Amino acid sequence: MKKFILCLLFFAFLFNVSAQFDANYDESKVPEFKLPDPLKTFNGQKIRNYKKWESKRRPELLNFFTENMFGEVPGDLEIASVDILEESNNALNGKAVRKQVDLVFKNRGKTLDFTILIYLPKTEERVPLFVGYNFYGNHTITEDVEVIISEAWANNNPSFGIINNQLTEQSRGVRTNRWCVDKIIEAGFGLAVIYYGEVDPDKDDFSDGIHPLLYIDDQQQPAADEWGAIGAWSWGLSRAMDYFEQDEAIDESRVVVFGHSRLGKTALWAGASDERFAGVISNESGCGGAALSKRRFGETLWRINNRFPHWFCKNFRNYRKNEEALPVDQHELIALIAPRPVYIASAEEDRWSDPKGEFLGALYATPVYELYGKKGIEQTEMPAVNYPIQNTVAYHIRTGEHDVTEFDWEQYIKWASEFIK
Ligand code: GCU
């Protein structure tokens, strides 16, 4: 009998766990929820103009996202030195200038550096720029043989020739499809990319990457309200921005931060926490990005915090399987970017990222943009596939899978040409 009960309990446990692992893709099973009003403070005060938004509501939201989701950066760390590793006036068949710039940081006897690969159109004028991280090294975004291969730790990916966590020559150019360098340059924009693993390797280990440079005494990992990996990657983008401010060829007032997926979550947080970014493009950022958490569609807070415990600060775990207790949702993360332009994008087959949740994130951020007289998303229904809405808040859903495609970049370039002035 005892055995039987134990057996029953064991199966009940397994059933419970597997039920939690089954992502919901059924719209009728989305729970009822009340979305927090971006224009009402936590203690119920109505926000009627952008001054009150800036003095009251924006700071308390920023604070909440900092302490409970992405974590605080526990100190200042300035660039110790800028090393130009390589430079050419004759890149991309003579159409562009290429620079490989290494930023070095030092603290507590430790050093960290990361390399920014920059392509700029050849012109006398200072150029606007897209900046973003890549998943497998700067040399993957182009066939250009001069691009230096990073020695930082990488996730294995045998199809790209990445084994033993080391990037290799074999993966040169494997991600050209995700970065339309030629189109970007032709449109008069520069492109700057960084391998995210140089700032913080994407694994649940806080002994490497940038974190240890800001530990105190014998600290081994960030405190519950201190930065996780997304906070660290976002910090890296801000340091890249520090460099752009020094580079005469770049117009630092027109830098758009771009990211896909986990790096799209990072782009949103970078834009929300650093107002120097002139705009944000978040491609299929899903859970913890543009998608509303309270919908629990596709990836949930439970799943993301268990599978990637290092991405957010520890405090965020309080909300896994407890979305209803969240006093914020992701539309308010997007709203923190207001009045600067923001582009949210989805893909039809990428249900894990919850396209509808991403659309609603953009839609419900709109009232904050309207305080500034800016146009956000004005229709409550999702647009048809491949029909972008391009206002200060922009959105599209395209055909296909979780990826960055030429179609995506064509829209981003067109939109940025109009809204990043
Ligand atoms: C996983 C993860 C997502 C993330 C994605 C990516 O699918 O669950 O949250 O966006 O990886 O970064 O590619």
Side-chain angles (χ1 to χ4, degrees):
M1 187 62 183
K2 206 168 153 198
K3 262 193 184 155
F4 176 72
I5 291 177
L6 276 176
C7 228
L8 217 62
L9 282 174
F10 178 68
F11 280 111
F13 170 76
L14 275 190
F15 180 75
N16 191 25
V17 169
S18 69
Q20 282 157 359
F21 269 104
D22 279 335
N24 174 40
Y25 290 124
D26 180 350
E27 201 55 49
S28 72
K29 294 201 178 114
V30 168
E32 271 192 32
F33 59 87
K34 192 166 172 340
L35 214 55
D37 182 348
L39 297 183
K40 205 177 251 176
T41 63
F42 289 137
N43 65 17
Q45 220 181 318
K46 184 89 193 118
I47 300 296
R48 294 178 205 283
N49 54 55
Y50 76 84
K51 287 210 166 120
K52 277 276 176 323
W53 161 259
E54 286 176 9
S55 66
K56 286 212 171 333
R57 183 63 170 148
R58 187 176 191 280
E60 70 172 16
L61 282 173
L62 186 60
N63 217 25
F64 186 89
F65 281 104
T66 304
E67 287 176 2
N68 297 285
M69 190 165 180
F70 300 106
E72 192 109 45
V73 179
D76 290 330
L77 196 52
E78 285 175 13
I79 302 172
S81 63
V82 174
D83 299 335
I84 309 290
L85 302 180
E86 190 269 347
E87 207 172 354
S88 162
N89 269 329
N90 198 22
L92 307 178
N93 298 324
K95 281 187 295 189
V97 172
R98 178 186 60 237
K99 295 184 198 186
Q100 300 187 68
V101 180
D102 199 43
L103 305 187
V104 184
F105 302 86
K106 291 183 194 275
N107 207 24
R108 302 179 70 248
K110 293 186 189 305
T111 303
L112 179 121
D113 67 297
F114 63 83
T115 303
I116 318 176
L117 165 65
I118 306 173
Y119 288 109
L120 301 174
K122 280 188 177 170
T123 158
E124 292 300 303
E125 283 166 32
R126 306 180 74 168
V127 296
L129 185 89
F130 296 105
V131 58
Y133 281 117
N134 55 68
F135 283 79
Y136 290 109
N138 293 347
H139 70 302
T140 61
I141 76 135
T142 161
E143 304 283 350
D144 187 342
V145 294
E146 300 301 331
V147 177
I148 300 162
I149 301 179
S150 170
E151 287 172 9
W153 183 95
N155 265 308
N156 284 335
N157 184 336
S159 67
F160 287 174
I162 306 169
I163 46 170
N164 302 324
N165 305 111
Q166 281 305 300
L167 300 171
T168 63
E169 184 60 44
Q170 211 185 315
S171 33
R172 187 176 300 281
V174 290
R175 279 283 162 85
T176 45
N177 61 311
R178 285 197 175 184
W179 301 88
C180 294
V181 188
D182 292 319
K183 285 205 161 133
I184 291 172
I185 297 293
E186 266 160 39
F189 286 86
L191 175 67
V193 298
I194 305 161
Y195 170 48
Y196 80 140
E198 291 197 338
V199 177
D200 188 25
D202 192 358
K203 52 184 160 134
D204 187 15
D205 173 355
F206 286 102
S207 66
D208 53 15
I210 192 63
H211 296 92
L213 275 76
L214 286 176
Y215 284 160
I216 46 163
D217 305 329
D218 51 6
Q219 190 176 357
Q220 305 288 325
Q221 48 177 303
D225 64 348
E226 287 178 352
W227 53 347
I230 294 178
W233 298 325
S234 156
W235 171 89
L237 289 165
S238 289
R239 301 296 70 78
M241 187 65 177
D242 295 344
Y243 166 75
F244 301 146
E245 288 180 334
Q246 305 172 17
D247 188 324
E248 298 277 295
I250 295 168
D251 180 350
E252 74 270 16
S253 71
R254 289 190 292 160
V255 175
V256 179
V257 57
F258 162 83
H260 168 62
S261 210
R262 68 198 68 181
L263 301 174
K265 311 183 208 298
T266 305
L268 286 172
W269 182 232
S273 57
D274 188 337
E275 293 182 83
R276 294 174 299 169
F277 290 109
V280 177
I281 300 168
S282 187
N283 194 82
E284 298 155 30
S285 57
C287 181
L292 297 179
S293 304
K294 290 177 193 281
R295 276 172 50 77
R296 290 193 197 148
F297 190 100
E299 189 172 29
T300 59
L301 296 190
W302 191 82
R303 299 181 63 142
I304 203 168
N305 277 290
N306 291 353
R307 172 77 181 79
F308 304 101
H310 56 294
W311 284 0
F312 304 96
C313 71
K314 287 213 185 79
N315 278 342
F316 198 44
R317 297 179 197 172
N318 296 334
Y319 298 99
R320 52 185 169 180
K321 282 201 281 167
N322 190 21
E323 288 87 346
E324 57 284 356
L326 258 180
V328 300
D329 211 329
Q330 299 307 102
H331 60 307
E332 291 167 315
L333 174 65
I334 300 171
L336 289 174
I337 297 162
R340 294 162 293 149
V342 62
Y343 202 132
I344 307 296
S346 310
E348 197 179 19
E349 289 166 41
D350 180 23
R351 295 193 309 154
W352 181 240
S353 301
D354 185 12
K356 183 166 179 195
E358 294 174 321
F359 170 75
L360 294 177
L363 174 69
Y364 293 126
T366 291
V368 178
Y369 280 81
E370 288 174 345
L371 289 182
Y372 291 89
K374 302 276 182 193
K375 224 169 159 182
I377 305 294
E378 296 183 316
Q379 62 191 66
T380 54
E381 289 301 311
M382 284 180 80
V385 172
N386 299 335
Y387 281 88
I389 304 173
Q390 296 202 346
N391 296 322
T392 302
V393 182
Y395 176 82
H396 75 235
I397 176 167
R398 62 154 171 79
T399 39
E401 297 175 353
H402 189 64
D403 201 353
V404 192
T405 66
E406 201 170 335
F407 175 87
D408 293 319
W409 272 110
E410 282 166 358
Q411 312 317 312
Y412 301 150
I413 292 169
K414 178 166 172 266
W415 171 79
S417 306
E418 185 176 347
F419 288 94
I420 304 298
K421 297 209 180 92

